[in-house]
Amino acid sequence: MEVMQVLHMNKGEGETSYAKNSIVQRKIISVATSIIEKAVEECLEKNFLDSMGIADLGCSSGPNSLMVISDIIDTVYATSNRKGIPLPELRVSLNDLPGNDFNNIFISLPEFYSQLKMEKNIGPEGCFISGVPGSFYGRLFPKKSLHFIHSSSSLHWLSQVPRLLDSNILKPLNKGNIYISKTSPGSVLDAYLSQFKRDFSVFLKSRSEEMVVDGHMVLSFMGRVSTDPSSEESCMQWELLAQALMSMALEGLIEEEKIDSFNAPYYAPSAQEVRSVVEEEGSFTINCLEAFEIEWDGGAPSNNNFQKHIDKIEKDNFSRGQQVAKTIRAVVESMLEVHFGRKIIDELFKRYAQVVGDYFSRTSAKNIDLVISLTKKG
């Protein structure tokens, strides 16, 4: 699978779009706000800047795309005022893969600039926003051009499916699974970890070349606190999606071989795995590394239209299952459509909502969000 070509969040503003189904990602951004603000403040404390380079990597599209940038600008503005120094010129780069819906972001820029001018008297001549399409697993920006980098809900995506899995299509190593599970052999777990280490190391090396000394970076991505890569906290959403796919295979709606040959280009690392790669690569100092629990549906309120004549607990589970299915569909539909075809997608996510709702009836369901703050070494 050519991840760079097929991975993108659902475009536009329709019912299955990422723009309308990204409340979980917004929650992830919000829990990291204080860490982001501290990093920006420290960046300005160490540097008197005429021009400040800022990048958001994996910006996607929709209302979340400019939310982080707005928060960063707020912090730069407040810190500059407190220190009594001129506001630096802001060079803001929004990055994602080429298939991203950049037009959705650009259309919202006039309103963003208007609000910036009204609230802070910052015009377009003081804040330059541009789109930078490309993979962050490699260089994206000129050397020493960035002072602050942010990335949220992106680095759990790998640059490719682990080579070992991609090269054994005729004899699948991870039969019946689409990601790591309790039934996956050790070789599959090792392959995913190796791919993550390679990718994250390349990411860090690339950013180190693009950042100034004492530049700061805050990264948030799905992870785990368990040492076991097959633990429910990092694998269950994929496990349930595999169950939905297998139920369709049993009815002849999908070939089981198609499921066996699909492997998600994704890895949820442990905090220790993240720390180990950072220390081995050597370009950054870790300021903090924290883990947060995030509910699968982001704590979204349930739809009250379902309240009548249905037991509240069952209704909540059903409604939350639907919400999770919409969230996951907005993120992975592009990959699934390329592999399985367009016609199975609606039925697949109908079934996925049901199995997720059933899972909610048995247990609480939370993801682990890792947030790491880093400083570029001298």
Side-chain angles (χ1 to χ4, degrees):
M1 180 191 296
E2 292 293 333
V3 175
M4 187 171 174
Q5 296 177 13
V6 302
L7 177 60
H8 60 77
M9 309 300 101
N10 279 358
K11 300 179 182 182
E13 297 187 352
E15 286 305 308
T16 62
S17 68
Y18 181 81
K20 285 197 173 180
N21 297 284
S22 52
I23 189 171
V24 174
Q25 291 82 357
R26 176 174 286 259
K27 179 73 171 180
I28 289 169
I29 291 170
S30 70
V31 300
T33 297
S34 62
I35 297 174
I36 294 170
E37 289 175 352
K38 183 178 180 181
V40 173
E41 289 171 359
E42 290 179 352
C43 188
L44 290 170
E45 292 290 343
K46 296 176 181 177
N47 300 278
F48 180 82
L49 304 175
D50 291 324
S51 180
M52 184 176 184
I54 300 166
D56 186 28
L57 309 181
C59 65
S60 192
S61 60
N64 295 349
S65 298
L66 294 173
M67 186 175 83
V68 173
I69 298 305
S70 180
D71 289 345
I72 292 170
I73 292 173
D74 285 349
T75 304
V76 173
Y77 181 81
T79 304
S80 298
N81 283 345
R82 188 180 71 251
K83 294 179 67 177
I85 60 175
L87 185 75
E89 178 182 88
L90 304 173
R91 295 174 281 109
V92 179
S93 299
L94 303 176
N95 156 261
D96 213 310
L97 292 173
N100 184 55
D101 191 357
F102 284 101
N103 281 341
N104 182 279
I105 303 174
F106 297 153
I107 288 171
S108 65
L109 284 180
E111 182 180 350
F112 180 81
Y113 279 126
S114 177
Q115 191 169 353
L116 206 57
K117 180 71 174 177
M118 180 176 63
E119 294 179 356
K120 299 181 178 62
N121 198 30
I122 302 174
E125 70 281 358
C127 180
F128 302 89
I129 299 177
S130 60
V132 181
S135 171
F136 49 49
Y137 293 122
R139 287 285 303 278
L140 290 164
F141 306 99
K143 289 185 176 181
K144 299 180 180 179
S145 62
L146 297 176
H147 300 85
F148 183 77
I149 292 175
H150 170 265
S151 180
S152 184
S153 299
S154 297
L155 277 161
H156 42 251
W157 293 111
L158 302 174
S159 67
Q160 63 176 69
V161 173
R163 295 187 184 95
L164 181 67
L165 277 69
D166 228 12
S167 62
N168 283 273
I169 295 175
L170 296 179
K171 188 179 180 182
L173 297 176
N174 204 20
K175 189 171 178 59
N177 301 310
I178 60 175
Y179 180 56
I180 295 169
S181 85
K182 293 294 185 184
T183 62
S184 299
S187 59
V188 170
L189 278 60
D190 292 342
Y192 269 106
L193 176 57
S194 295
Q195 186 65 49
F196 169 75
K197 286 181 174 180
R198 280 194 297 271
D199 283 346
F200 193 38
S201 183
V202 168
F203 175 90
L204 294 171
K205 185 177 187 302
S206 300
R207 304 295 80 78
S208 72
E209 294 181 26
E210 297 163 351
M211 297 185 75
V212 301
V213 172
D214 289 332
H216 283 60
M217 181 161 64
V218 177
L219 313 172
S220 302
F221 45 95
M222 293 300 180
R224 64 183 199 276
V225 293
S226 171
T227 58
D228 179 7
S230 65
S231 61
E232 285 195 16
E233 67 187 10
S234 59
C235 299
M236 186 48 65
Q237 286 186 337
W238 292 105
E239 179 77 19
L240 296 180
L241 187 57
Q243 289 180 22
L245 284 164
M246 289 300 291
S247 74
M248 296 180 71
L250 289 172
E251 296 177 22
L253 301 175
I254 300 176
E255 294 177 2
E256 191 169 338
E257 291 76 11
K258 277 281 189 182
I259 301 171
D260 294 338
S261 62
F262 181 88
N263 294 283
Y266 172 99
Y267 186 72
S270 69
Q272 183 52 46
E273 288 167 352
V274 171
R275 183 180 295 276
S276 175
V277 176
V278 173
E279 292 175 349
E280 184 175 337
E281 195 280 329
S283 299
F284 294 89
T285 299
I286 298 175
N287 303 317
C288 72
L289 174 54
E290 299 185 29
F292 299 89
E293 288 187 338
I294 305 292
E295 294 181 353
W296 279 14
D297 59 355
S302 55
N303 183 342
N304 289 330
N305 291 335
F306 289 95
Q307 292 285 352
K308 295 180 180 179
H309 313 300
I310 305 175
D311 177 83
K312 187 178 187 304
I313 295 177
E314 289 182 355
K315 177 256 141 203
D316 284 347
N317 291 334
F318 174 71
S319 180
R320 293 181 70 195
Q322 286 190 316
Q323 180 63 46
V324 171
K326 288 180 180 179
T327 299
I328 300 301
R329 177 172 181 170
V331 174
V332 304
E333 181 171 356
S334 62
M335 291 187 297
L336 294 175
E337 182 177 334
V338 167
H339 189 83
F340 294 102
R342 172 74 225 162
K343 65 180 182 180
I344 65 103
I345 297 296
D346 288 343
E347 178 63 21
L348 171 60
F349 283 99
K350 178 182 176 182
R351 295 182 185 222
Y352 185 57
Q354 292 170 344
V355 294
V356 171
D358 182 59
Y359 185 69
F360 276 129
S361 72
R362 302 193 305 273
T363 184
S364 61
K366 295 180 181 180
N367 288 315
I368 300 299
D369 173 46
L370 298 180
V371 181
I372 186 169
S373 175
L374 304 160
T375 300
K376 168 71 187 301
K377 293 181 180 178

